[in-house]
Amino acid sequence: MDKVMAVNAGSSSLKFKLYEMPEEKVLCSGNAERIGHEDAIFGIKWGSESEKKVLPILDHAAAVQLVVDALIEKKIIHSMDEIVAVGHRIVQGGKYFSHSELFSKDTEDKIESLIPLAPLHNKAHLVGFRAFKKILPNVTSVAVFDTAFHQSMEPQDYVFPIPYEYTTKYDCRRYGAHGTSHQYLSQEATKYLKGNKHPRIISCHIGSGASITAIKDSKCVATSMGLTPLGGIMMGTRTGDLDPSVMNYLCTCTGKSVEEMYQIFNKKSGFLGVSEVSNDSRDVLAAVDEGNEKAILANKLFIRRIADFIGQYYVRLGGVDMIIFSAGIGENSYEIRESICKEIEPALGLKIDYEKNKGKRGVEVVISKPESPIVVAVIPTDEEVMIARDTYHFYKK
Ligand code: ADP
């Protein structure tokens, strides 16, 4: 039986999910956190069981060894040979990758060359890949890029209006992110759009990180995140799109450096920055209920930015057949879904069944009425299964 591991390696973490393929059955999932520390944490879930322990995990190779040992000890697999392929999530594929790719020296070099565009992520992904290569040298290794799905954009959708030399010389352009999720959602949407030969979809991946994508004929035509995931709509701690002079002005006002301000835009803005309550939408909504004015403003800002992008993409697509809500907030916060729908309903002519939307968390559900000209649905995303599918595909080739 073929087992495929989907891996998401961060600078001090390693998330994994093991699938039996081609059935796509999840055998186990887990996470190593605080890698590099004596008191690192290793957690694994399989069947109805789970285990979590604190122990030293000094590097990623040690984390991979721990994963493999746990799989055998818990009898999830009998031998390491059962793992035929490992798929690695890679945040930035730059201009090089419009689909997943087998790991080779060339793939590795390209991912390495893109480190300046995603300093924390790409570096960590390579550390993760090399750690797996050390422990499982003979498996098929595949790189699955967060940016690949967005490579179908036209230049007028991805070029920034800066001196063109910077676009070509430094590859400074829109790449987007969450591509694996948007592609999954686009594929899942087809079952609601049977008979529609040219489906137009707006997928809203709204979690801590949030992006919106316009999809036509299963291809991305526009996406809200930019050069990095800082662009687009407001997020948990990120600003989303800003007038670029905000950077200059605030550095002058505060005396902070560009780097310091960049960190503030990434880590101290968004829901957290405006509400001064939390980066978590649940805390912000709780504060809204208590009448906290900054929380109310933060929530309104969030809804408005999303509605604006939906309006923009409605035009970009020449109409829309389906709007999808997904990720932490999109799947779970029916309150925020309701607010967004109320904002876009009059212009788009949607008919939403608010009773059906109410209380739905983490489940796939159509929240538009049958007579609505646009299907509006909640679809839980699954980036890992996409990684496993692509990876298995390369193994079988
Ligand atoms: P990311 O993967 O980008 O870190 P998630 O997709 O996990 O983020 O989304 C996190 C967001 O989802 C948080 O703002 C959180 O409030 C929201 N969220 C998660 N679960 C729930 C829930 N059960 N009800 C309401 N909101 C939720």
Side-chain angles (χ1 to χ4, degrees), residues 207-209 279-282 327-329 332-333 361:
S208 285
N279 64 325
D280 191 303
S281 66
R282 284 168 288 202
I329 296 174
N332 294 298
S333 180
R361 297 191 200 274

Side-chain angles (χ1 to χ4, degrees), residues 68-93:
V68 173
D69 290 348
L71 296 179
I72 292 181
E73 187 195 305
K74 319 244 174 272
K75 300 192 168 45
I76 299 164
I77 59 172
H78 299 291
S79 109
M80 268 159 54
D81 301 340
E82 290 175 41
I83 303 175
V84 295
V86 179
H88 297 266
R89 175 197 181 211
I90 311 287
V91 160
Q92 182 54 269

Side-chain angles (χ1 to χ4, degrees), residues 178 205-210 236 271 279-283 285 326-330 332-335 361 383:
H178 295 145
H205 176 115
I206 43 180
S208 285
F271 265 134
N279 64 325
D280 191 303
S281 66
R282 284 168 288 202
D283 302 335
L285 287 188
S326 195
I329 296 174
N332 294 298
S333 180
Y334 63 88
E335 303 92 332
R361 297 191 200 274
E383 288 155 288

Side-chain angles (χ1 to χ4, degrees), residues 177-189:
H178 295 145
T180 311
S181 171
H182 290 292
Q183 187 173 17
Y184 174 82
L185 297 171
S186 149
Q187 289 176 5
E188 289 297 300

Side-chain angles (χ1 to χ4, degrees), residues 6 13-14 86 117 138 180 200 266 272 291 300 332-333 397:
S13 68
L14 190 132
V86 179
L117 280 175
N138 300 319
T180 311
R200 298 159 300 178
N266 262 294
L272 174 66
K300 282 186 176 169
N332 294 298
S333 180
K397 250 210 245 186

Side-chain angles (χ1 to χ4, degrees), residues 366-380:
V366 173
I367 59 168
S368 51
K369 292 180 177 164
E371 66 270 28
S372 176
I374 300 168
V375 180
V376 182
V378 180
I379 302 182

